[in-house]
Amino acid sequence: MKDTILLIKKHIILLLFLLGSVTIWGQISVKRKVSPADYSQWSTLNSEKLAADGKWLSYKLSYDSGNDTIFVQQTYGSKKYTFPLATDENFSRDGKWWAAIAPEKGLGILNLKTGKCQWTADVESYEFLANGKYLAFLKKTGLEQELCILNLRTGQKYSAKDIAEYRSSPNGKIVVFITKQENAVKLIWIDDYFRTAEIIQSSAKRFKNLIWNKDANALAFLQELPQDQYQGTNHKLYFVNHMDGVPNLHILDPLLAEDILKGLKIVTPPAKNPLEMATDGKKVFFYTTAPKLESKDKEIVQVWDGATPWTYPSQKNSESWQYNSKMVVWWPEENKLFNIGTEEFPKTQLMADGNYALNHNPLQYEPQYEIASPVDYVLTDVRTGQSKKILEKQIRKYDFIKSSGSGNFINYFKEKHWWVYNIKEDSHINLTLPLGIPIDEVDYDCGGTAPPYGSPGWSVDEKYLIVYDQYDIWLLSADGKSQKRITQGREKRIQYRIAEDSYTDSLLLGNAVLTGNKFDLSKGLFVEAIGEDKSSGYFYWHPEGNIKKMVYKDLMIDHLIKAEQSASYIYREQSFKLSPRLMFKTEKEKQPKILIQTNLQQNHFDWGRNELISYTDSRGTPLQGVLYYPSNFQKGKQYPMIVHIYEKQSNILHHYFNPAENALDAFPLTNYTLDGYLVLYPDIAYELGEPGKSAADCVVAAVKTVTAKGIVEEQHIGLTGASFGGYETAYIVSQTNIFAAAVAGCPLTDFVSQYLSLDGTGGTTRMWRYESQQQRMGVSLFEDYQGYIENSVVAQAAKINTPLLIWSGLEDTMVSWTQGLELHLALRRLQKPNQFLVYPGENHSFLKRETKNDLTQRTKQWFDHYLKEKPFRDNLSSN
């Protein structure tokens, strides 16, 4: 009996111990619910930079409050420095210095060896020069700017006051600057002695628009001439060379011209660099226009003529002097000029070496209804003046035409293939025909021509054009004789692309250059990869042909940065549950190192999870979506669900979303999963001519797939989207009653009135959006009028029974706010439950914190009322 009692006591003690242990363990593992008061703890990782030697990195943590902080820390070791509210951060090329600008404190220069930071107040901008041995900065006191150049090794400093403008040479060895009061242009050689020279000083009007050639042996600039009765300011053009000796100055004055410049003005057209410099340092490109008298007559009538190439506002702009500018090339040492732009082909793009120019006329085939009109291209040898037409009706959109790095080839996409035009041989070769696979997007579902998967550029020796198909990277010889696939993505269902952020180059400075990057294949290539299962990462392609995995995981991997002077690199990884973290890796180490893990506070809170779902539309098209579970999800329980829509979204599977007071489209996803909602992001496939019906078909199919799991309160499903997603939302609720509430942001609701309107800038019609872009009608209004009506929300308004919240920015230039107004008035007349929120001062994307916060709260309140049956709050002002 005693043994039995003793045994019972032991069991009781053990039970009490276990219960206590569970309680203790439970207390340790208990996580609390995130509240709006906690949102401010979350930060966003961005602006990562890695020093050239790989020993230091910097990054920024941004907060909704605006209290952003930049951190500078060692990749090995424990040193870390913080710079609250700093911006414009950068490492010197030699990896010895780091600098940034902070409000009130000015410029901070951090010595990475000693840890000492030197501050200089009132600095507006800075740059490292001569591989980081010097630092130039612009200091502003009152209205005066002072240029300072600091020798970082010795502390010696040069300064010049009264600065109007300055520009350092591309090699960082010379600085040219303009002073205001004395109106002089001066040079400083960046060395221990800070040698200076004055190029020119004048009592006339101001100098401006300094520009160097890439080799820093020539520069050019303009000087304003006195204003006359004509529109726009006329200019003199100056060219300076022989920088290694005594600078030689050449002047071009249009008022003294007796050649092709006679009667013309040298101008600075908008949206263009006013000057371009060739790499050979022998010629400079500029723009001219014929003088046009200032009109003082009051406009009494606008003639909107149907026979003009463009609409009245666009035509009026095109007739203005500043838009009629044409490019001219000048050889200063030969005193030779040549008009590149002509009346027939006025618009010019330059090849990278500046020896050839490609001209076109954007009005040639107008009126037409693509985003950009097709054009004929004329190639001109600027040295001889000889011209020839090389392309007819070439499409200009989606980077359909590019050039090689030195300007010997033009690659263009036409008739579903990439072609190369050899300038020297005057020959066209179809490079992708032998591949036998599609080079244009196979799943393109808009109207018009399907774009190519892309061509990032050429090999540096110009032997190969690099081209993408749906999955892989190809090297295609310029003569068309060889085609080499360097990745095996098609077999693995992985899309490989060159990590182009790691490769940027331009031989000719300025924006008149026909684009085209170049890649040194002898150094290999960094390749980014994304699988159809949403895994991602990076690979290294070796010149010998093999490809090696750097990192590839079932996560979102991005932001690869390779140290310029060491075999180390950083990258970012994240998932819905894993807040972004920065990883560091060297070739010698097998495993990467975590340098920074953001938002560690998440470990103290309940969080949700997500999964990829699969479904099909009524046509049998396989689709995917992302389903997010609430943080407190319990098996066997049902939850309200909100469906967020906008074309295809399943690629966000591994994106991390901060809880936040606001979001771009007023729908901070995590706020909802943390508050007991299921959230679904489905993909949508479209049938041309039926955008609304396609959206309804796919979204309803996705919802049915999720409700079949038995986890959804089917009477409490919401729908939301903005822009095109706003249209889809409004249309879908006219086709089905499965949604208990919906929110449509800046929706287009009337295809007819929107089609027959101009964009917010007042010039371009919106017709192209329907015929060959996102609205996906594929034909004009008059070819399928009934289709336009059937896909318009206002025409279906009588069938809407779902309470609908509509919002728009009053200054929206993409989708007029009146589109939301039309639907609101229709629903009002039909006595359907709806609200229309109009935000003055906001465009298509909202920028003001107060309006974003207000809209986010109102959206949440709308869904809480209809999906959780919570009463509306009255604490949101309409003022």
Side-chain angles (χ1 to χ4, degrees):
M1 186 70 178
K2 288 182 180 179
D3 291 339
T4 303
I5 294 172
L6 183 60
L7 183 61
I8 292 173
K9 287 181 178 179
K10 287 182 178 180
H11 279 293
I12 293 172
I13 292 171
L14 177 61
L15 180 60
L16 290 172
F17 172 76
L18 289 174
L19 287 172
S21 298
V22 169
T23 303
I24 293 171
W25 294 337
Q27 288 173 349
I28 292 173
S29 63
V30 163
K31 296 184 178 182
R32 66 184 181 88
K33 183 178 178 181
V34 178
S35 71
D38 299 312
Y39 295 169
S40 61
Q41 298 180 44
W42 264 261
S43 64
T44 300
L45 173 67
N46 54 58
S47 302
E48 304 96 314
K49 290 182 172 64
L50 185 63
D53 58 9
K55 295 180 180 179
W56 290 86
L57 83 147
S58 70
Y59 57 91
K60 179 184 289 188
L61 295 182
S62 301
Y63 295 84
D64 280 348
S65 64
N67 295 322
D68 303 346
T69 299
I70 293 178
F71 298 84
V72 182
Q73 73 177 58
Q74 291 177 315
T75 53
Y76 291 103
S78 58
K79 290 183 179 179
K80 180 187 286 190
Y81 305 98
T82 60
F83 296 85
L85 304 179
T87 58
D88 300 325
E89 70 282 4
N90 258 312
F91 287 101
S92 61
R93 288 289 303 277
D94 59 9
K96 295 180 179 179
W97 305 87
W98 180 89
I101 294 177
E104 298 182 2
K105 300 181 75 173
L107 173 67
I109 307 170
L110 177 64
N111 185 322
L112 295 172
K113 183 177 181 180
T114 65
K116 182 180 178 181
C117 187
Q118 175 183 339
W119 290 95
T120 304
D122 303 319
V123 174
E124 292 193 321
S125 62
Y126 75 93
E127 61 179 315
F128 287 105
L129 303 176
N131 203 36
K133 295 179 181 179
Y134 294 83
L135 185 88
F137 57 90
L138 206 57
K139 184 177 180 181
K140 187 171 185 179
T141 306
L143 298 176
E144 184 178 284
Q145 292 189 120
E146 178 183 2
L147 173 64
C148 300
I149 301 175
L150 178 66
N151 186 322
L152 293 170
R153 179 175 54 86
T154 66
Q156 184 183 7
K157 186 170 74 172
Y158 172 90
S159 65
K161 296 186 176 181
D162 194 37
I163 301 297
E165 179 183 343
Y166 90 93
R167 190 78 69 239
S168 62
S169 61
N171 60 12
K173 295 182 178 180
I174 314 175
V175 170
V176 57
F177 65 91
I178 300 169
T179 56
K180 284 183 181 179
Q181 296 300 321
E182 60 179 339
N183 199 32
V185 182
K186 300 182 180 182
L187 293 172
I188 315 166
W189 282 265
I190 309 302
D191 54 30
D192 290 341
Y193 304 102
F194 290 123
R195 294 181 295 118
T196 62
E198 184 173 279
I199 297 175
I200 188 172
Q201 192 271 336
S202 172
S203 59
K205 290 216 163 188
R206 70 184 181 109
F207 297 105
K208 63 182 184 180
N209 299 119
L210 299 163
I211 186 172
W212 290 92
N213 75 322
K214 188 168 185 179
D215 291 337
N217 54 24
L219 69 90
F221 52 91
L222 296 173
Q223 183 183 25
E224 293 181 353
L225 288 170
Q227 191 68 41
D228 52 27
Q229 71 271 34
Y230 298 101
Q231 289 183 9
T233 302
N234 198 0
H235 301 83
K236 283 184 186 178
L237 173 58
Y238 294 82
F239 179 89
V240 186
N241 59 2
H242 299 305
M243 296 297 173
D244 52 350
V246 178
N248 193 11
L249 179 66
H250 303 264
I251 305 174
L252 186 63
D253 188 342
L255 297 181
L256 304 177
E258 294 295 332
D259 45 32
I260 64 173
L261 274 189
K262 187 173 182 179
L264 297 178
K265 303 176 73 171
I266 297 177
V267 296
T268 58
K272 295 179 182 178
N273 287 347
L275 300 175
E276 308 280 358
M277 291 285 286
T279 55
D280 60 13
K282 296 182 181 298
K283 51 188 177 288
V284 59
F285 303 88
F286 60 97
Y287 295 92
T288 64
T289 189
K292 185 175 181 180
L293 287 170
E294 292 275 8
S295 176
K296 297 181 180 179
D297 297 333
K298 184 178 180 181
E299 185 179 56
I300 61 171
V301 63
Q302 296 179 357
V303 180
W304 293 58
D305 191 338
T308 57
W310 286 340
T311 63
Y312 174 82
S314 294
Q315 194 73 18
K316 192 173 180 65
N317 283 338
S318 72
E319 292 168 357
S320 172
W321 70 269
Q322 54 185 345
Y323 290 94
N324 276 331
S325 58
K326 299 176 182 64
M327 183 177 282
V328 179
V329 60
W330 177 40
W331 288 263
E333 292 184 309
E334 303 173 39
N335 196 26
K336 175 184 172 184
L337 290 163
F338 173 66
N339 280 326
I340 302 176
T342 65
E343 289 299 321
E344 186 178 5
F345 296 101
K347 302 304 177 185
T348 302
Q349 290 174 287
L350 295 168
M351 297 299 103
D353 58 5
N355 291 327
Y356 289 90
L358 205 58
N359 280 22
H360 69 274
N361 185 347
L363 288 173
Q364 187 176 5
Y365 293 106
E366 294 285 0
Q368 58 81 49
Y369 301 99
E370 290 275 351
I371 183 174
S373 64
V375 297
D376 293 351
Y377 278 109
V378 172
L379 184 71
T380 300
D381 186 331
V382 302
R383 298 162 297 186
T384 65
Q386 294 182 341
S387 297
K388 66 181 99 175
K389 186 183 293 186
I390 64 168
L391 286 171
E392 292 186 351
K393 289 193 173 182
Q394 173 63 32
I395 300 174
R396 291 184 292 149
K397 66 178 181 179
Y398 300 124
D399 290 331
F400 276 36
I401 183 165
K402 299 182 177 183
S403 72
S404 60
S406 60
N408 293 320
F409 299 96
I410 296 171
N411 51 300
Y412 59 94
F413 186 80
K414 193 169 189 175
E415 298 168 348
K416 296 182 176 292
H417 288 285
W418 279 107
W419 299 68
V420 160
Y421 174 73
N422 186 319
I423 293 177
K424 293 180 180 178
E425 298 180 5
D426 187 25
S427 64
H428 296 262
I429 301 175
N430 186 329
L431 296 190
T432 54
L433 183 62
L435 302 186
I437 56 174
I439 299 301
D440 58 337
E441 293 186 9
V442 295
D443 56 353
Y444 184 71
D445 55 16
C446 296
T449 303
Y453 284 105
S455 174
W458 288 76
S459 60
V460 69
D461 56 10
E462 298 195 346
K463 289 183 178 180
Y464 300 102
L465 174 67
I466 305 171
V467 165
Y468 299 144
D469 70 14
Q470 185 177 5
Y471 295 102
D472 290 306
I473 304 171
W474 293 80
L475 303 182
L476 309 179
S477 64
D479 58 8
K481 294 180 179 179
S482 71
Q483 302 83 32
K484 182 180 180 181
R485 184 166 63 119
I486 67 172
T487 56
Q488 301 296 316
R490 186 167 295 273
E491 293 81 356
K492 301 174 182 178
R493 315 297 284 181
I494 297 175
Q495 185 183 78
Y496 291 100
R497 298 291 185 258
I498 294 175
E500 293 187 50
D501 288 346
S502 301
Y503 306 94
T504 55
D505 186 63
S506 176
L507 288 177
L508 191 66
L509 305 179
N511 62 359
V513 184
L514 192 63
T515 58
N517 276 345
K518 60 181 184 177
F519 303 89
D520 189 345
L521 301 183
S522 67
K523 296 180 180 179
L525 292 170
F526 293 109
V527 176
E528 57 189 18
I530 301 176
E532 288 191 355
D533 64 353
K534 315 309 177 188
S535 296
S536 63
Y538 291 92
F539 291 75
Y540 172 72
W541 176 78
H542 195 275
E544 294 179 359
N546 59 310
I547 189 164
K548 179 182 178 182
K549 182 177 75 172
M550 299 169 66
V551 56
Y552 188 77
K553 297 180 181 180
D554 189 24
L555 297 171
M556 179 182 174
I557 311 290
D558 64 357
H559 287 206
L560 174 75
I561 301 176
K562 167 73 169 57
E564 290 185 24
Q565 300 167 12
S566 75
S568 59
Y569 54 89
I570 59 173
Y571 60 89
R572 189 177 65 176
E573 62 182 30
Q574 63 181 294
S575 71
F576 177 66
K577 296 182 70 173
L578 175 65
S579 184
R581 63 188 184 190
L582 206 55
M583 311 299 291
F584 177 75
K585 179 78 167 56
T586 67
E587 288 186 356
K588 295 180 180 179
E589 297 170 318
K590 291 184 178 180
Q591 296 298 323
K593 172 184 176 183
I594 300 175
L595 291 178
I596 173 66
Q597 172 64 67
T598 62
N599 299 316
L600 289 171
Q601 73 279 356
Q602 179 188 320
N603 296 327
H604 302 300
F605 298 99
D606 280 330
W607 208 254
R609 62 181 177 88
N610 67 346
E611 66 181 12
L612 200 63
I613 65 165
S614 298
Y615 59 100
T616 60
D617 64 9
S618 62
R619 295 177 295 165
T621 308
L623 296 167
Q624 295 178 315
V626 184
L627 177 63
Y628 296 86
Y629 288 80
S631 58
N632 59 349
F633 180 77
Q634 298 174 28
K635 191 174 182 179
K637 186 178 177 181
Q638 294 184 330
Y639 297 86
M641 181 171 75
I642 299 175
V643 184
H644 181 286
I645 56 175
Y646 189 95
E647 298 184 335
K648 293 185 177 178
Q649 304 177 105
S650 59
N651 61 338
I652 69 170
L653 175 69
H654 293 312
H655 287 217
Y656 183 86
F657 296 93
N658 291 353
E661 291 183 350
N662 60 67
L664 189 63
D665 59 357
F667 189 76
L669 160 64
T670 309
N671 292 20
Y672 288 83
T673 60
L674 293 173
D675 194 32
Y677 283 97
L678 289 157
V679 179
L680 174 63
Y681 278 66
D683 284 346
I684 299 172
Y686 299 91
E687 186 173 353
L688 202 61
E690 296 190 342
K693 295 177 182 179
S694 299
D697 181 22
C698 295
V699 171
V700 170
V703 170
K704 288 181 178 179
T705 298
V706 177
T707 55
K709 294 175 176 287
I711 59 176
V712 181
E713 294 177 359
E714 295 190 31
Q715 302 306 310
H716 294 128
I717 303 176
L719 182 65
T720 186
S723 192
F724 189 65
Y727 157 70
E728 293 174 314
T729 295
Y731 187 87
I732 289 171
V733 295
S734 75
Q735 306 298 301
T736 178
N737 291 322
I738 67 172
F739 297 103
V743 177
C746 42
L748 55 96
T749 64
D750 185 341
F751 275 25
V752 176
S753 65
Q754 182 83 345
Y755 180 92
L756 298 173
S757 68
L758 301 180
D759 65 22
T761 60
T764 307
T765 74
R766 291 187 169 104
M767 296 177 184
W768 64 273
R769 294 188 181 276
Y770 291 83
E771 297 183 29
S772 60
Q773 207 242 0
Q774 192 177 42
Q775 271 67 78
R776 294 178 169 88
M777 291 305 296
V779 294
S780 76
L781 170 67
F782 310 103
E783 294 172 276
D784 186 15
Y785 195 91
Q786 187 60 32
Y788 274 73
I789 295 295
E790 290 176 359
N791 283 278
S792 292
V793 182
V794 290
Q796 316 296 324
K799 295 187 288 185
I800 295 177
N801 298 308
T802 303
L804 182 62
L805 178 67
I806 310 164
W807 57 266
S808 293
L810 190 59
E811 278 66 52
D812 193 333
T813 56
M814 187 171 293
V815 179
S816 172
W817 75 279
T818 58
Q819 287 287 297
L821 175 63
E822 285 188 37
L823 182 57
H824 165 67
L825 293 176
L827 294 175
R828 178 185 177 89
R829 179 65 182 84
L830 292 164
Q831 296 183 322
K832 305 278 187 172
N834 81 98
Q835 282 187 11
F836 184 31
L837 308 177
V838 183
Y839 289 89
E842 293 289 8
N843 203 307
H844 196 64
S845 296
F846 287 11
L847 298 176
K848 300 176 184 177
R849 179 180 296 274
E850 60 269 27
T851 54
K852 290 193 294 183
N853 288 356
D854 182 85
L855 177 57
T856 301
Q857 290 181 60
R858 291 180 186 275
T859 300
K860 183 66 162 58
Q861 185 180 140
W862 190 263
F863 283 131
D864 282 349
H865 177 75
Y866 289 104
L867 306 187
K868 288 189 172 184
E869 301 180 4
K870 293 183 178 181
F872 280 117
R873 302 190 308 274
D874 57 3
N875 60 342
L876 289 175
S877 172
S878 61
N879 296 324

